[in-house]
Every structure is written in C-alpha cells, then in structure tokens.
Amino acid sequence: MANKDRAELTPKISALEAKIRRSDYRQGKLEKTINRLKKIILDLKLKTLTENVDIDSISEGGYRKTSTEKTKQTVIFQTLKDYSDVPRSQKKRILTGGGAVPSAHVVAFYAYMSANEPNPGKHHTVIFNTVITNVGSSYNHHDGVFTAPTNGVYVFSWNLYSQFHGLIASELMVNSASKGGRLSDSRSVSEDHSSSGTLVVEISQGDIVYIRTHQTLSISGNINSYPSSYQSSFCGWLLI
C-alpha cells in the first residue's frame, strides 16, 4: 500500500476505533442500568410477597403449610428462580441477612453432664444438667428433655463415655420411639470409651426428644463425664 493511502486511512481507522470505544462505554452503562433496575424490581417483588402473601391461597406439591414464615420462604425461593442472573451475594442477603424473611424460630441447645452417672441401668433417661447454649429455651436441664417448639427438621447429636470395663448402650428417643442407638464398649480395655451419634429427624411441635440407656441391652459401669477434660453431652438445633 502506498504511503499516501496509509496516511489517508489512518485518521479513518482512529475515528472508527474511537467510535467503538464510545459504543462499548454506552453498552457498559446500559448493562449497569439494567442490572440496577432488576435489583429494584426484585426487591419490590420480594417486599410485596413477604408483606402480602396469603398462606391459605398457596398450594405447593409436598409442602406442608406449617407457618406463615415457612410459606414466605418457599415463595421467595421460587421467585429467585426467575432471576437466575441476580448475583449470588444479593440472593444470600435477601434470604438470610436482608431482613426480608425473619426467622419464626431459632432453636439450638448444648448441654453436658457435670459428673459421672453411676450404674444407670436399663431404660434410664440421661440428664445433661450443665447447659452451655439454650436458644429458644426448649431444653430442660432438670429432666434432660428437649421439647420441640415448632414443626421442622432437627439435628440431634449425643456423646457418652463408658467407664473402663463398662458397657453403655444408648438411644435417641422421640416421644416413645427410638430413632437410633449407639454402643460404647470398654469391657476389654482399661480405659474409657466414647460413642457418639447424630440423627436428622422430622418432628412436630410438642414432641419430646431425649437420650436414654437401651431398654433391653445389658448396661454395666458408669457413664463418665469430667467437666475439666471430657464430657458426655447432648445437643440439637432446628435445621429447617
């Protein structure tokens, strides 16, 4: 290409590049404006849902209408599916930290035995009398029983130490039904052994949950718990 032709094209190319840059800038501003408007629309829609949702008018397959707050949560999750391009951080803020869905119940407890339980025998309710956490005040440290304040899926975990040369079989009870058991066997060793269990169960408001020694298996020795070193403990929390 002749130098003269190059000289004539250079200004045109520069002008075209400048035009592309201006177009990219305007497109970027437009995308930001669209995203900002989407956020405003989403916030307004969620605010309307959380303020005006009528639980009697909602019917979703498999959903038990147990509380207004749970119904709102379900509707909001469905709404967020329609906004798949909304940033993850914004969804998290809306569902957990933005105040759109206040939690109807926050439930969590943790307690341990303050001393050894000598020779508890069969069918014995274990009382974890030292309470560290009891959010919702649903665990009773006098009788070792947790009473569900609301319907839901809960997680429960317990840990028991059997005395050396002892045998402790335990189970987690919901009302009068065993939901799972654990065995701590120290009969053949000269040291304390521990056994722990974790269960996820769906229970109803007013159901009681507790730990007891097995009703038929032989029990021997103490349940050990030493606050200064290791403890036999029981905890639980509302999952959903």
Side-chain angles (χ1 to χ4, degrees), residues 32-236:
K32 288 182 181 179
T33 301
I34 291 172
N35 288 334
R36 186 166 60 250
L37 290 173
K38 282 184 177 181
K39 177 181 178 299
I40 293 171
I41 293 170
L42 178 60
D43 286 342
L44 289 173
K45 188 171 184 179
L46 291 172
K47 183 178 180 181
T48 301
L49 284 170
T50 55
E51 289 179 351
N52 301 325
V53 65
D54 179 6
I55 63 173
D56 292 327
S57 66
I58 295 174
S59 177
E60 297 188 9
Y63 181 76
R64 296 184 309 158
K65 295 180 286 188
T66 56
S67 71
T68 301
E69 300 305 331
K70 280 190 176 182
T71 305
K72 288 178 181 179
Q73 188 84 351
T74 300
V75 174
I76 288 169
F77 269 111
Q78 186 61 46
T79 301
L80 288 175
K81 290 180 181 179
D82 299 330
Y83 291 84
S84 58
D85 56 345
V86 174
R88 185 184 184 92
S89 59
Q90 185 186 343
K91 290 181 181 180
K92 184 176 180 180
R93 178 188 64 79
I94 292 168
L95 291 171
T96 61
V101 189
S103 177
H105 293 281
V106 179
V107 183
F109 74 94
Y110 168 68
Y112 65 83
M113 292 169 52
S114 63
N116 297 344
E117 179 78 15
N119 301 306
K122 301 177 184 179
H123 209 265
H124 173 80
T125 299
V126 183
I127 299 176
F128 304 87
N129 61 317
T130 300
V131 176
I132 302 300
T133 303
N134 196 11
V135 179
S137 302
S138 297
Y139 175 75
N140 189 328
H141 68 280
H142 297 293
D143 59 13
V145 172
F146 169 83
T147 303
T150 184
N151 300 351
V153 177
Y154 290 76
V155 180
F156 295 101
S157 181
W158 77 104
N159 179 62
L160 296 181
Y161 283 89
S162 59
Q163 179 188 16
F164 64 92
H165 300 313
L167 175 69
I168 301 295
S170 62
E171 52 191 347
L172 183 137
M173 305 295 298
V174 176
N175 300 322
S176 59
S178 174
K179 296 301 181 179
R182 296 296 184 270
L183 179 67
S184 180
D185 188 355
S186 305
R187 290 174 295 179
S188 60
V189 295
S190 297
E191 62 183 18
D192 294 352
H193 270 191
S194 71
S195 65
S196 60
T198 300
L199 297 177
V200 180
V201 294
E202 184 175 9
I203 58 179
S204 301
Q205 182 178 7
D207 285 346
I208 60 173
V209 182
Y210 55 97
I211 304 300
R212 76 176 185 190
T213 55
H214 201 274
Q215 60 180 336
T216 59
L217 295 178
S218 296
I219 306 296
S220 62
N222 302 343
I223 300 175
N224 283 355
S225 186
Y226 301 97
S228 61
S229 53
Y230 55 87
Q231 305 86 34
S232 291
S233 60
F234 181 33
C235 67

